[in-house]
């Protein structure tokens, strides 16, 4: 959807899928959220442009209808008006529900509305913090949540400067805190977090057209602000939306061109982030100012593998295991306050004949296999507050027979 029309999987307009009250000029006209616990129901949240009267609304899609192509069953249910042109979504701490986050117009209020198995809670959690979105020039610009749900970033576009701000986010309560202004003079419009939540990016609409990076693990607030790094050196003209993709790269639209800029390694500080101008063709189509808006909470990189060594020096037919160096399931090392905490591990060595010894909760266990052969060992890593689990499976070959020593 573009917040106005809904299309189905055949690229045709969905039944009853016209007349949604988003706007083609709104920064983030819409975002789609699946109802937790329901395989068929989706909610489309829309915002009007320029603080218009249509405000923040939601419509419902039932994918069980129209032979699986879906139908819009209710439209334009009002949550709040007036709203700025921003709406984003991120997982709740419970790992199931979703927070939909917006910002009121003519106010300092961020608004967090919870989507659960019960549907949409239209009574939002309000956080009165940061800049007052008090003029038409501050309604535009992107609002983003870090994939791990710990931070909220926002750019308030205006022709003179633009403010780029970042906040802590409690994804248990929906409350924002600890406002930090990264810059007040960039002319910024788009913004985005790196997959691991350690870096924040914002792009200039005007005044040089740069993309900037901040290191959120730099330390103090002063150090974070001072970490500002120019990624692009005024290249390629006006920058619109920045959007994290499922491949872990950040894509940047350049209006009226047939390609996107790409930040290939956004977790890496400085030049190592590997910005490439015109790095992704969209030909024969032509880009504009926006890119599709979707929840990035599930876009985590795969965990690092565990390692193992098979040697009789550890014991007869024994393998010694070393867990991956994970602090969080976003491969976040050295800045644990931004990530999920690792709360436990469970090894299953794939050797049920060994009885209770087939599992372990140690970080670096050893296991004596009952016979020679090939086994599949599984490691499950458990994380706090919506971090879910990572499951790693590897094949282990036990091919060294025990050495028998006898004396005569």
């Amino acid at each position: 959807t573009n917040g106005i029309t809904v299309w189905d999987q055949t690229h045709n307009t969905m039944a009853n899928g016209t007349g949604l009250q988003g706007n083609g000029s709104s920064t983030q006209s819409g975002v789609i959220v699946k109802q937790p616990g329901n395989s068929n129901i989706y909610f489309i949240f829309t915002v009007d442009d320029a603080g218009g009267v249509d405000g923040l609304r939601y419509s419902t899609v039932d994918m069980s209808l129209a032979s699986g192509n879906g139908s819009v069953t209710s439209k334009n249910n009002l949550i709040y008006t007036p709203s700025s042109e921003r709406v984003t979504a991120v997982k709740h701490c419970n790992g199931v529900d979703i927070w939909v986050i917006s910002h009121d117009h003519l106010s300092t209020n961020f608004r967090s509305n919870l989507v659960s198995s019960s549907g949409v809670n239209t009574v939002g959690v309000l956080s009165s913090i940061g800049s007052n979105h008090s003029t038409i020039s501050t309604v535009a610009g992107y609002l983003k949540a870090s994939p791990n749900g710990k931070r909220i970033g926002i750019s308030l576009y205006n022709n003179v400067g633009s403010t780029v701000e970042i906040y802590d986010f409690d994804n248990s309560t929906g409350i924002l805190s600890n406002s930090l202004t990264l810059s007040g003079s960039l002319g910024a419009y788009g913004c985005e977090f790196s997959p691991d939540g350690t870096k924040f990016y914002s792009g200039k609409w005007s005044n040089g057209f740069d993309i900037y990076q901040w290191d959120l693990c730099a330390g103090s607030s002063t150090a974070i602000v001072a970490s500002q790094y120019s990624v692009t050196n005024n290249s390629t003209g006006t920058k619109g939306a920045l959007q994290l993709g499922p491949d872990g790269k950040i894509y940047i639209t350049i209006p009226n061109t047939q390609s996107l800029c790409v930040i290939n390694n956004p977790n890496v500080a400085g030049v190592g982030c590997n910005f490439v101008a015109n790095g992704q063709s969209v030909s024969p189509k032509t880009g504009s100012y926006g890119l599709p808006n979707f929840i990035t909470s599930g876009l985590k990189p795969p965990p690092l593998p565990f390692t193992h060594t098979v040697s009789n020096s550890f014991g007869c037919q024994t393998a010694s295991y070393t867990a991956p160096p994970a602090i969080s399931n976003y491969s976040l090392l050295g800045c644990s306050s931004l990530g999920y905490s690792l709360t436990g591990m469970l090894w299953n060595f794939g050797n049920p004949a060994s009885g209770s010894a087939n599992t372990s909760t140690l970080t670096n266990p050893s296991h004596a296999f009952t016979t020679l052969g090939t086994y599949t060992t599984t490691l499950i890593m458990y994380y706090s507050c919506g971090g879910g689990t990572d499951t790693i499976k590897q094949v282990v070959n036990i091919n060294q027979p025990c050495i028998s020593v006898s004396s005569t």
Side-chain angles (χ1 to χ4, degrees):
T1 184
N2 59 1
I4 304 165
T5 301
V6 188
W7 290 271
D8 65 22
Q9 62 186 336
T10 68
H11 307 289
N12 293 308
T13 301
M14 183 175 285
N16 198 31
T18 60
L20 276 63
Q21 291 177 333
N23 191 288
S25 183
S26 180
T27 303
Q28 291 167 287
S29 183
V31 65
I32 300 171
V33 176
K34 185 179 183 293
Q35 182 176 4
N38 193 311
S39 60
N40 294 311
I41 301 300
Y42 293 77
F43 301 110
I44 301 173
F45 293 85
T46 59
V47 286
D48 201 357
D49 80 323
V53 295
D54 287 334
L56 173 66
R57 297 175 182 263
Y58 76 94
S59 301
T60 304
V61 172
D62 187 341
M63 289 303 300
S64 70
L65 303 177
S67 301
N69 287 316
S71 298
V72 179
T73 57
S74 71
K75 285 191 289 193
N76 301 321
N77 302 284
L78 180 63
I79 297 175
Y80 180 79
T81 189
S83 178
S84 73
E85 297 182 1
R86 306 172 176 90
V87 62
T88 192
V90 68
K91 277 188 177 180
H92 187 281
C93 179
N94 62 23
V96 177
D97 299 334
I98 300 290
W99 290 108
V100 175
I101 306 161
S102 59
H103 197 290
D104 298 351
H105 184 40
L106 306 175
S107 171
T108 59
N109 286 339
F110 284 90
R111 182 174 297 269
S112 302
N113 291 89
L114 189 65
V115 181
S116 68
S117 59
S118 300
V120 178
N121 188 343
T122 58
V123 178
V125 176
L126 301 183
S127 301
S128 183
I129 188 173
S131 297
N132 191 328
H133 297 199
S134 58
T135 65
I136 293 298
S137 64
T138 57
V139 297
Y142 273 80
L143 173 67
K144 291 297 181 76
S146 62
N148 58 22
K150 300 297 184 181
R151 290 284 178 92
I152 298 293
I154 189 171
S155 56
L156 284 70
Y157 172 75
N158 64 64
N159 291 322
V160 177
S162 298
T163 300
V164 181
E165 298 169 347
I166 198 164
Y167 302 82
D168 290 338
F169 184 66
D170 186 335
N171 61 344
S172 294
T173 64
I175 293 174
L176 288 83
S177 61
N178 298 327
S179 172
L180 175 61
T181 299
L182 298 178
S183 177
S185 59
L186 286 186
Y189 180 72
C191 62
E192 186 60 282
F193 288 89
S194 62
D196 66 5
T198 65
K199 309 297 184 299
F200 187 68
Y201 295 84
S202 186
K204 282 188 175 183
W205 179 289
S206 56
N207 302 330
F209 313 127
D210 273 356
I211 299 291
Y212 288 97
Q213 178 199 77
W214 290 269
D215 184 355
L216 304 183
C217 291
S220 66
S221 296
T222 301
I224 292 172
V225 173
S227 71
Q228 178 178 312
Y229 172 79
S230 178
V231 172
T232 60
N233 297 319
N234 301 327
S235 66
T236 65
T238 298
K239 305 299 191 303
L242 283 73
Q243 178 61 54
L244 178 64
D247 57 0
K249 301 179 181 182
I250 293 176
Y251 295 87
I252 305 158
T253 185
I254 314 166
N256 305 313
T257 68
Q258 293 186 327
S259 64
L260 304 175
C261 302
V262 183
I263 301 174
N264 286 287
N265 302 308
N267 292 336
V268 180
V271 67
C273 72
N274 188 16
F275 170 86
V276 177
N278 304 310
Q280 174 64 54
S281 173
V282 295
S283 179
K285 303 297 183 179
T286 299
S288 187
Y289 299 101
L291 288 170
N293 185 22
F294 56 87
I295 302 170
T296 60
S297 297
L299 304 185
K300 65 178 183 180
L304 298 173
F306 61 80
T307 59
H308 70 278
T309 303
V310 178
S311 173
N312 286 333
S313 64
F314 304 126
C316 185
Q317 297 170 183
T318 296
S320 176
Y321 293 86
T322 302
I327 291 177
S328 81
N329 62 341
Y330 288 82
S331 302
L332 179 57
L333 304 177
C335 187
S336 59
S337 63
L338 292 180
Y340 295 115
S341 298
L342 183 67
T343 60
M345 295 183 179
L346 177 63
W347 297 84
N348 185 308
F349 302 109
N351 180 207
S354 62
S356 61
N358 189 43
T359 61
S360 174
T361 57
L362 298 177
T363 302
N364 300 312
S366 295
H367 179 72
F369 288 85
T370 53
T371 61
L372 298 179
T374 299
Y375 301 85
T376 299
T377 296
T378 301
L379 169 62
I380 303 175
M381 297 187 290
Y382 298 90
Y383 302 97
S384 65
C385 192
T389 62
D390 277 330
T391 300
I392 309 169
K393 295 183 178 182
Q394 292 183 28
V395 173
V396 177
N397 293 312
I398 304 299
N399 54 13
Q400 293 183 334
C402 294
I403 300 174
S404 177
V405 178
S406 61
S407 60
T408 58

